[in-house]
Amino acid sequence: MKEKTAEQKSKQKSGQNRLLRVKEVAELLGVSVSTVYAQRAGTERLTRIKTGRRLLRWSEAEVLALIEKQIEEAKVVPVQKSRRQPPVDLEAWRTPNRLTREEGKAILARYRR
């Protein structure tokens, strides 16, 4: 028998606010089960619901809202240019003769201006 995915299960009961198991949360977020338990990768924002002595569940509505929020945040964040400068002239290092210390310092001084 074929197992249903978390998405199929959520579509099946879309009118209700289901409580998801850790595997379902991990599948929806695309992270490991240990990441969900450790509350990393954005899962610290989710409310843990203790349904038994050792059972934890998460609200499906909160998980889906977190996914939407992460998508929106990813659209807004601009790409930052790196401030690092090349430490040396790469062409000089490709030559068969190595540079002297003074030549290296001179090249670095040109890039630091």
Side-chain angles (χ1 to χ4, degrees), residues 31-69:
V31 297
S32 68
V33 171
S34 61
T35 300
V36 176
Y37 278 130
Q39 294 185 324
R40 286 185 248 133
T43 60
E44 67 275 356
R45 302 175 193 168
L46 299 175
T47 306
R48 292 174 158 195
I49 303 166
K50 198 166 186 178
T51 58
R53 195 172 190 194
R54 295 174 55 187
L55 296 175
L56 288 174
R57 305 287 183 187
W58 289 263
S59 168
E60 180 182 35
E62 278 189 30
V63 173
L64 295 175
L66 174 66
I67 293 170
E68 290 296 323
K69 187 173 182 179

Side-chain angles (χ1 to χ4, degrees), residues 12-30:
Q12 191 176 31
K13 297 183 179 181
S14 60
Q16 303 170 13
N17 188 10
R18 294 182 48 225
L19 295 179
L20 302 176
R21 294 177 296 160
V22 68
K23 281 186 178 181
E24 294 172 323
V25 174
E27 283 179 16
L28 287 172
L29 294 174

Side-chain angles (χ1 to χ4, degrees), residues 6 8 10 21 29 32 43 46 55 58 62 75 77 81 83 86 94-95 97 99-101 103 105-107:
Q8 290 172 340
S10 66
R21 294 177 296 160
L29 294 174
S32 68
T43 60
L46 299 175
L55 296 175
W58 289 263
E62 278 189 30
K75 290 179 182 176
V77 176
K81 290 185 178 179
R83 292 183 183 182
R94 290 190 182 123
T95 58
N97 299 329
L99 296 175
T100 64
R101 175 174 272 164
E103 291 171 331
K105 285 182 181 180
I107 292 171

Side-chain angles (χ1 to χ4, degrees), residues 1-5 8-9 27:
M1 186 172 182
K2 201 174 188 181
E3 285 189 30
K4 294 181 181 178
T5 65
Q8 290 172 340
K9 290 178 184 178
E27 283 179 16

